[in-house]
């Protein structure tokens, strides 16, 4: 059965299992596709290997997450523009329409200075791709708070052509996810579905286990004219077994499908009249 909004499994959701395991679990659980997190796992960097896995399991790669994390600063190249360029080539090769990218770290001064213009140049060179800039969050340590991103954690303060809305990051930044979606407007192209408790750290809980408006956000997507994908990005590293990990990912998929289906139904039929007719 095809759904209007595809629900993807982020390969980061199966960590510490490798990228290949994400394809296996996505196929077994019925996800519509995969978001590949490019990291130190060689398979995640290899278009041929990823294409082979996609064909074997019948799970297309529909988004590529560029290597923007602290632990991936040397993947492919120490040059962030080269990493982003190679992410674009990987996405094109696999037929994925979206590249997820983080704002620059505060110490990446040259990259940060040219980031907005560089993204526009890259988008012009790859017109079939969306470079969806993700909302991030402040870091709190020893009673202090600092923002490790330039010029900040909220990409709408700058303004980009495409955004990824991450609900766990909204919890960590104590931001209003629905208001942030409003700010992103028609440029909201991708959603990272995870939950958080609002304790000020990035938790990536299974949706429904925190206090974020996950259901409300999913339910609003049809009315927002959303045409992208929702990627389940949850932390299962603490799972005691593959069975427990799969149970969490099955629950997250069911949550997404339930609320996306409700959104589509409401969009088609409209809200009920006061008389119930």
């Amino acid at each position: 059965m095809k759904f209007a909004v595809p629900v993807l499994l982020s390969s980061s959701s199966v960590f510490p299992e490798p990228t290949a395991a994400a394809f296996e679990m996505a196929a077994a659980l019925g996800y519509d596709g995969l978001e590949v997190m490019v990291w130190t796992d060689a398979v995640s960097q290899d278009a041929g290997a990823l294409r082979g896995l996609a064909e074997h399991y019948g799970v297309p790669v529909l988004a590529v997450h560029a290597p923007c994390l602290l632990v991936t600063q040397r993947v492919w190249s120490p040059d962030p523009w080269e990493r982003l360029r190679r992410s674009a080539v990987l996405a094109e090769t696999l037929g994925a329409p979206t590249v997820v990218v983080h704002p620059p770290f505060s110490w990446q001064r040259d990259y940060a200075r040219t980031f907005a213009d560089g993204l526009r140049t890259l988008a012009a060179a790859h017109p079939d791709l969306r470079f969806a800039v993700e909302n991030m969050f402040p870091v709190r340590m020893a009673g202090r708070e600092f923002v490790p991103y330039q010029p900040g954690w909220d990409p709408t303060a700058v303004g980009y052509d495409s955004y990824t809305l991450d609900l766990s990051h909204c919890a960590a930044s104590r931001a209003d996810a629905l208001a942030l979606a409003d700010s992103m407007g028609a440029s909201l192209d991708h959603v990272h579905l995870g939950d958080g408790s609002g304790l000020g750290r990035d938790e990536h809980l299974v949706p429904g286990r925190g206090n974020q408006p996950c259901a409300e956000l999913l339910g609003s997507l049809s009315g927002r004219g959303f045409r992208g994908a929702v990627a389940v990005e949850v932390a299962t590293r603490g799972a005691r077994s593959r069975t427990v990990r799969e149970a969490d990912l099955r629950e997250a998929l069911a949550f997404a499908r339930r609320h996306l289906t409700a959104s589509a139904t409401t969009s088609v039929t409209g809200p009920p009249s006061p008389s119930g007719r």
Side-chain angles (χ1 to χ4, degrees):
M1 179 178 180
K2 294 292 185 182
F3 293 85
V5 175
V7 181
L8 316 183
L9 177 62
S10 169
S11 60
S12 67
S13 295
V14 309
F15 183 83
E17 294 195 59
T19 303
F23 282 94
E24 180 185 356
M25 282 185 260
L29 298 174
Y31 278 83
D32 299 306
L34 209 71
E35 176 180 321
V36 170
M37 171 71 78
V38 179
W39 64 300
T40 54
D41 179 358
V43 169
S44 73
Q45 307 169 29
D46 188 320
L50 293 170
R51 188 189 298 113
L53 287 164
E55 292 173 354
H56 177 74
Y57 287 106
V59 177
V61 176
L62 297 179
V64 169
H65 195 308
C68 305
L69 307 178
L70 281 173
V71 297
T72 60
Q73 294 299 292
R74 296 285 173 175
V75 168
W76 283 333
S77 169
D79 177 4
W81 284 119
E82 177 63 11
R83 294 198 300 273
L84 196 48
R85 185 193 69 80
R86 291 187 65 167
S87 297
V89 171
L90 180 63
E92 280 185 334
T93 302
L94 297 171
T98 301
V99 175
V100 178
V101 58
H102 291 181
F105 286 114
S106 55
W107 57 85
Q108 295 174 310
R109 292 184 177 86
D110 290 342
Y111 181 48
R113 180 174 50 82
T114 61
F115 186 64
D117 289 339
L119 272 189
R120 284 190 287 268
T121 299
L122 200 58
H126 302 275
D128 294 329
L129 296 181
R130 298 185 295 264
F131 295 87
V133 184
E134 187 173 355
N135 62 295
M136 301 306 292
F137 52 92
V139 174
R140 299 173 179 88
M141 296 177 61
R144 301 179 61 186
E145 177 178 298
F146 68 97
V147 178
Y149 303 98
Q150 180 67 30
W153 61 264
D154 178 2
T156 67
V158 176
Y160 298 102
D161 293 334
S162 182
Y163 297 105
T164 295
L165 177 62
D166 187 303
L167 284 140
S168 177
H169 292 177
C170 287
S173 61
R174 295 170 179 157
D176 183 328
L178 296 174
L180 188 55
D182 290 342
S183 296
M184 291 177 174
S187 296
L188 172 58
D189 286 317
H190 198 66
V191 171
H192 278 168
L193 180 61
D195 212 334
S197 63
L199 294 179
R201 62 177 183 270
D202 191 19
E203 297 171 283
H204 286 286
L205 304 176
V206 171
R209 298 184 186 178
N211 60 14
Q212 291 304 290
C214 297
E216 293 85 350
L217 188 279
L218 294 175
S220 76
L221 290 180
S222 181
R224 295 176 187 276
F226 183 75
R227 294 294 180 268
V230 171
V232 168
E233 192 179 73
V234 298
T236 65
R237 66 179 64 90
R240 299 184 302 276
S241 66
R242 166 70 74 89
T243 300
V244 174
R245 175 168 291 114
E246 287 188 345
D248 283 349
L249 299 179
R250 183 180 293 107
E251 180 182 332
L253 175 60
F255 183 100
R257 289 260 173 82
R258 181 167 65 253
H259 293 291
L260 287 169
T261 300
S263 170
T265 301
T266 301
S267 178
V268 170
T269 63
S273 69
S275 65
R277 293 179 291 181

